[in-house]
Amino acid sequence: EELVYHAEEGRRYDKALSFALLVARQSMQLMAPAHACQFLRRAEGLARRIKRCPRRTLYQLYLQWGQAERWRGHLGESREYLEQARTFLDRGPGGDQLSLEEGQVALLLSELDRAEACFRAALEQASSPRFRVLARGGLAEVRLQRGQPAEAMEMLRPALAALAEHPGRRPEEGLEVRLKTLTLLGKISAVHGEGEASARDFRQAL
């Protein structure tokens, strides 16, 4: 945080912006979305001081902000920031993550058709096995909310196989995917009555 302050004082706004985004990411890893939002708001102010702020940087700023507001339960604000992020998304990587976030917001708002479309887009755009697992998990969640636990499980099985083959290069990424998959498996098991089978699938995935 001091690096943000010193860079801003020295009018090195590009450096200050990079540090602010880094603090926001670290805050999210520490499950502190409100603190992340404080630095994202600061980052937005810094971006406005840069004559030609890279579009990719602005995309990351608003994507992070949308995620942080979703974690806080501010779904309207989350959607607004994600829409801003999409205006800065050029061709290239990143579309899968944005589609996933849009799908999560739609899911929380019970907009199941929209959520399914977002998760399918994320699956088509997936740049890594991790994003394919998360996209399939989102689609399984949609099936579950529609009262289709068997279909949800079938959607999730390929994700479990991918999770076993590609645990992720960074430990925190693998942990995130495992926690989300475990939570979803628990939901499906409770509805579908396949607790033992689900537990076995998850153990195999680990």
Side-chain angles (χ1 to χ4, degrees), residues 145-160:
Q145 288 202 21
R146 283 179 169 155
Q148 302 169 334
E151 290 84 350
M153 182 60 76
E154 286 307 309
M155 181 62 69
L156 197 58
R157 287 189 193 281
L160 290 167

Side-chain angles (χ1 to χ4, degrees), residues 4 22 37 50 65 82:
V4 179
L22 177 59
C37 286
I50 300 172
W65 209 340
L82 294 176

Side-chain angles (χ1 to χ4, degrees), residues 95-183:
D96 49 2
Q97 189 175 1
L98 179 55
S99 294
L100 278 171
E101 281 297 324
E102 291 171 332
Q104 290 296 338
V105 172
L107 195 61
L108 290 168
L109 291 169
S110 297
E111 299 172 356
L112 300 186
D113 288 344
R114 183 169 182 171
E116 182 171 7
C118 291
F119 290 134
R120 287 199 178 280
L123 186 59
E124 292 173 1
Q125 301 163 351
S127 57
S128 69
R130 170 176 174 258
F131 283 116
R132 282 193 288 276
V133 170
L134 293 173
R136 282 193 171 275
L139 289 168
E141 184 77 37
V142 170
R143 296 287 187 277
L144 189 61
Q145 288 202 21
R146 283 179 169 155
Q148 302 169 334
E151 290 84 350
M153 182 60 76
E154 286 307 309
M155 181 62 69
L156 197 58
R157 287 189 193 281
L160 290 167
L163 182 59
E165 293 177 10
H166 305 280
R169 289 179 296 180
R170 293 189 294 178
E172 65 272 16
E173 288 185 356
L175 178 60
E176 174 198 6
V177 176
R178 283 174 170 78
L179 287 174
K180 288 185 176 182
T181 306
L182 178 59
T183 300

